[in-house]
Amino acid sequence: MPTFYGTEINNPLLLGTAQYPSPSVLAESIKLSKVDVVTVSLRRESGGSNAGQDFWNLIKELGVRVLPNTASCYSVKEAVTTAQMAREVFATNWIKLEVIGNADTLQPDVYGLVEAARELTQDGFQVFPYTTEDLVVADKLLQVGCEVLMPWGAPIGSARGLNNEYGLRSLRAHFNEVPIVVDAGIGLPSHAAHAMELGCDAVLLNTAVAKAGDPAAMAKAFSDAVSAGRQAFLSDPIEMSDMACPSTPVIGKAFLS
Amino acid sequence: MRIIVNGEEREVTSDLLDQVLVECGYENPSIATALNGTFVHRELRTETKLTEGDRIEVVAPIEGG
């Protein structure tokens, strides 16, 4: 099972908590998939409201580890301040660091990401950087203290799967000791299994489960898929070839023509 | 004194952050604060003085992806 900053988790599927039809469906999805880590966030709250506390109580009752995010932050300052607030509220040094660079694709601003990661690691955070599959950026993130890489599969919520399989393979090969979590863009359990078959250590997704017709059943399907993909990777898959290769022995075939 | 809390203008009587939070109805312990874009640790709220026009952000847990 993947280990992040010295903590081994029990399920390579990490699940987002947003967009579910109801809190009870969210809870059922977490329970059925047996995920160990869920992502959470922070937003403005009105005076007198207990919405935030109620949500936080629900998550605590489920006994899962939280990975707070800095979603929707477009600058280093916003992301760092959000991380600091998240650490206080959620009592964890883990932070899923998002510094967004484009509103249409929600792709990371990798320059800001590296800068924010440097600041946060120096301040004791354990950063999970939402990045691209770019090797040089990944190397910079590791240099500033990140011990996990979180490349996107595809734009957030797009359900496109793995847009750049080569890039993920390359990342895996170059940083074979660093936990890699494919985050974002996953639409189907087969996408998640594919990421795991490539040797990635975990998959983080939200929309594909939350917006499914039956979120809890889909969460279970994703959990099964990452498990199957991991097992396949560890079982040393065969190489792809351009030509057919008969599996049934040719020798001894009867001459019947 | 007029300040801005989560983007809305508010008239408050206190000039200390912890008291302003109570004045604005924030009694939930699971909140975090920032003053003019800079994080203010929970333990520093009692000594954080506000001035006219300050911007306070008050955030709480929410679902996230």
Side-chain angles (χ1 to χ4, degrees):
Chain A
M1 288 298 170
T3 298
F4 304 130
Y5 293 99
T7 299
E8 185 176 12
I9 64 168
N10 297 321
N11 191 332
L13 176 66
L14 286 67
L15 200 56
T17 55
Q19 305 183 86
Y20 289 79
S22 68
S24 63
V25 174
L26 165 62
E28 183 64 16
S29 301
I30 290 172
K31 285 179 190 166
L32 202 56
S33 59
K34 295 187 169 64
V35 294
D36 200 17
V37 176
V38 299
T39 51
V40 292
S41 197
L42 290 173
R43 284 292 179 269
R44 284 173 167 174
E45 179 148 284
S46 305
S49 169
N50 270 324
Q53 186 70 56
D54 291 345
F55 169 69
W56 184 214
N57 288 342
L58 169 70
I59 295 299
K60 285 194 283 191
E61 282 167 15
L62 290 165
V64 286
R65 184 178 295 275
V66 293
L67 174 59
N69 70 28
T70 63
S72 309
C73 289
Y74 280 77
S75 71
V76 172
K77 186 175 190 319
E78 271 186 305
V80 168
T81 302
T82 301
Q84 291 167 327
M85 293 196 288
R87 179 163 63 179
E88 182 172 88
V89 169
F90 296 112
T92 177
N93 286 327
W94 283 12
I95 191 74
K96 178 189 166 189
L97 181 60
E98 297 182 35
V99 182
I100 302 298
N102 183 283
D104 292 326
T105 61
L106 297 180
Q107 69 190 87
D109 166 4
V110 294
Y111 304 97
L113 181 68
V114 171
E115 193 181 331
R118 178 186 290 110
E119 280 190 40
L120 290 170
T121 52
Q122 285 173 352
D123 191 21
F125 282 89
Q126 295 173 323
V127 176
F128 294 62
Y130 166 61
T131 185
T132 66
E133 58 283 274
D134 189 292
L135 289 181
V136 180
V137 173
D139 195 38
K140 302 272 185 211
L141 289 166
L142 299 177
Q143 284 175 25
V144 300
C146 295
E147 296 179 17
V148 176
L149 294 170
M150 290 218 309
W152 62 349
I156 294 170
S158 68
R160 297 176 63 84
L162 306 183
N163 263 359
N164 185 354
E165 179 187 327
Y166 164 77
L168 292 173
R169 278 187 191 280
S170 185
L171 203 61
R172 176 71 294 167
H174 277 77
F175 304 107
N176 56 5
E177 298 293 320
V178 180
I180 293 177
V181 183
V182 172
D183 173 25
I186 301 295
L188 291 167
S190 55
H191 299 155
H194 189 189
M196 299 300 290
E197 287 164 2
L198 295 177
C200 297
D201 298 278
V203 173
L204 197 171
L205 56 94
N206 188 156
T207 310
V209 165
K211 303 297 271 185
D214 186 340
M218 188 62 87
K220 174 70 163 56
F222 269 106
S223 186
D224 291 344
V226 295
S227 176
R230 181 63 181 169
Q231 194 60 47
F233 173 72
L234 294 174
S235 304
D236 192 13
I238 63 169
E239 295 295 325
M240 189 185 294
S241 84
D242 289 333
M243 295 296 162
C245 183
S247 50
T248 302
V250 176
I251 297 172
K253 177 185 175 298
F255 286 90
L256 303 173
S257 57
Chain B
M1 176 173 68
R2 293 192 78 77
I3 60 170
I4 299 169
V5 180
N6 284 350
E8 291 184 9
E9 268 200 8
R10 300 286 297 257
E11 182 73 35
V12 293
T13 55
S14 175
D15 63 352
L16 285 172
L17 178 55
D18 67 322
Q19 291 173 20
V20 164
L21 291 174
V22 173
E23 213 175 303
C24 293
Y26 291 104
E27 291 173 1
N28 170 358
S30 297
I31 56 167
T33 53
L35 170 58
N36 298 325
T38 300
F39 171 60
V40 179
H41 193 282
R42 181 180 287 130
E43 290 170 6
L44 297 178
R45 289 179 200 156
T46 53
E47 56 195 71
T48 299
K49 286 210 122 192
L50 306 180
T51 56
E52 182 82 18
D54 273 347
R55 290 181 298 109
I56 310 296
E57 292 290 328
V58 186
V59 296
I62 194 173
E63 302 84 358

